[in-house]
Amino acid sequence: MKKEIKKGKIVVSKDGPYLVSGNLPLEKEIITTDKEGEVCCWKKGKIYPVQESYALCRCGKSKTAPYCDGSHVEDVFDGTETASRKKYLEQLDSKTKGPELELTDAQSFCANGRFCDRKEGTWNLTKNSGDPAAKKMAIRQACDCPAGRLVVWDKKTGKAIEPAFDQSLAVVDDPSAKCSGPIWVKGGVQIQAADGFEYEKRNRVTLCRCGKSCNKPFCDGTHVRIGFEASL
Ligand code: FES
């Protein structure tokens, strides 16, 4: 029987790694493209050994990535957390309404995954959600957004449509953008700031691991702009 994990936790250490506890599984997830070169799917990669607790690099300098090797001390890392502490729904930039779906968008969470760019884009697909194919694609694209920037809501029930995730972590690889991506946190894992503040628990969110996000501890897509490459 599958072991359910409910108590996974990530503590953001001051100017240091993410301290992970609770037997959280860790794997690699790879962003793949369709034949037109548009981002379309996730592919599972390496599965890392299960450990009760471990430290994941967030400075971007570790030579044993995704784990911390202490490089943040030598190459002094400023990991100051600058992200808003408001809840997702208090950070929205826009709401897009269609006949069947509504789409909420909080850009500060964007990890530059680019699933939302495919076809005519998630916003237009939502506007056209009276068409079953458009509706299906809008749901798929929003659910594929690792950062939880985009959430689709069923207008009939008023509920968010979310992928079913167990608590787990994944390090993202983005070969089409020629870079390594963030840490994808799934299934409502508690993330705690260095000062003890508990960020809103969410089904999907991404944490910076290049060390350069302006929205720490969350990813802001900077890894794509700088071509970040993790060591392993
Ligand atoms: S946070 Fe320790 S090596 Fe990057």
Side-chain angles (χ1 to χ4, degrees), residues 20-91:
V20 180
S21 60
N23 274 311
L24 281 175
L26 176 67
E27 64 185 351
K28 190 166 269 191
E29 290 257 21
I30 302 155
I31 295 175
T32 62
T33 53
D34 61 18
K35 47 184 188 309
E36 279 84 43
E38 288 188 299
V39 165
C40 69
C41 309
W42 286 103
K43 191 172 97 186
K44 300 265 182 207
K46 173 177 178 170
I47 296 175
Y48 295 85
V50 177
Q51 301 178 73
E52 203 291 320
S53 58
Y54 48 94
L56 291 176
C57 174
R58 76 176 179 110
C59 74
K61 298 281 170 59
S62 172
K63 292 172 194 67
T64 58
Y67 303 107
C68 168
D69 71 350
S71 295
H72 62 275
V73 178
E74 234 167 86
D75 201 338
V76 182
F77 171 54
D78 178 2
T80 306
E81 289 167 77
T82 50
S84 166
R85 294 187 162 190
K86 290 181 180 168
K87 295 190 165 151
Y88 170 76
L89 287 176
E90 296 165 351
Q91 293 193 52

Side-chain angles (χ1 to χ4, degrees), residues 2-10 20-29 44 46-48 50-51 54 56 146 163-172 182-191 202-207:
K2 203 160 145 193
K3 197 172 150 204
E4 206 188 337
I5 298 161
K6 285 194 180 138
K7 296 214 176 110
K9 186 170 181 180
I10 299 172
V20 180
S21 60
N23 274 311
L24 281 175
L26 176 67
E27 64 185 351
K28 190 166 269 191
E29 290 257 21
K44 300 265 182 207
K46 173 177 178 170
I47 296 175
Y48 295 85
V50 177
Q51 301 178 73
Y54 48 94
L56 291 176
F165 286 145
D166 289 333
Q167 289 199 340
S168 62
L169 307 181
V171 284
V172 173
I183 298 164
W184 186 4
V185 182
K186 304 179 193 177
V189 176
Q190 181 65 65
I191 299 168
R202 300 192 63 211
N203 189 39
R204 301 170 276 145
V205 75
T206 47
L207 291 171

Side-chain angles (χ1 to χ4, degrees), residues 103-137:
L103 180 72
T104 49
D105 182 356
Q107 290 176 35
S108 58
F109 285 102
C110 184
N112 217 336
R114 312 182 306 288
F115 290 90
C116 54
D117 294 337
R118 196 168 174 228
K119 308 294 176 194
E120 67 253 47
T122 316
W123 298 264
N124 284 325
L125 290 164
T126 299
K127 283 184 199 154
N128 298 331
S129 57
D131 168 35
K135 178 181 174 184
K136 194 171 162 198
M137 184 58 81

Side-chain angles (χ1 to χ4, degrees), residues 195-210:
D195 66 3
F197 175 81
E198 295 192 326
Y199 292 98
E200 180 185 17
K201 271 192 201 170
R202 300 192 63 211
N203 189 39
R204 301 170 276 145
V205 75
T206 47
L207 291 171
C208 170
R209 72 176 179 125
C210 72

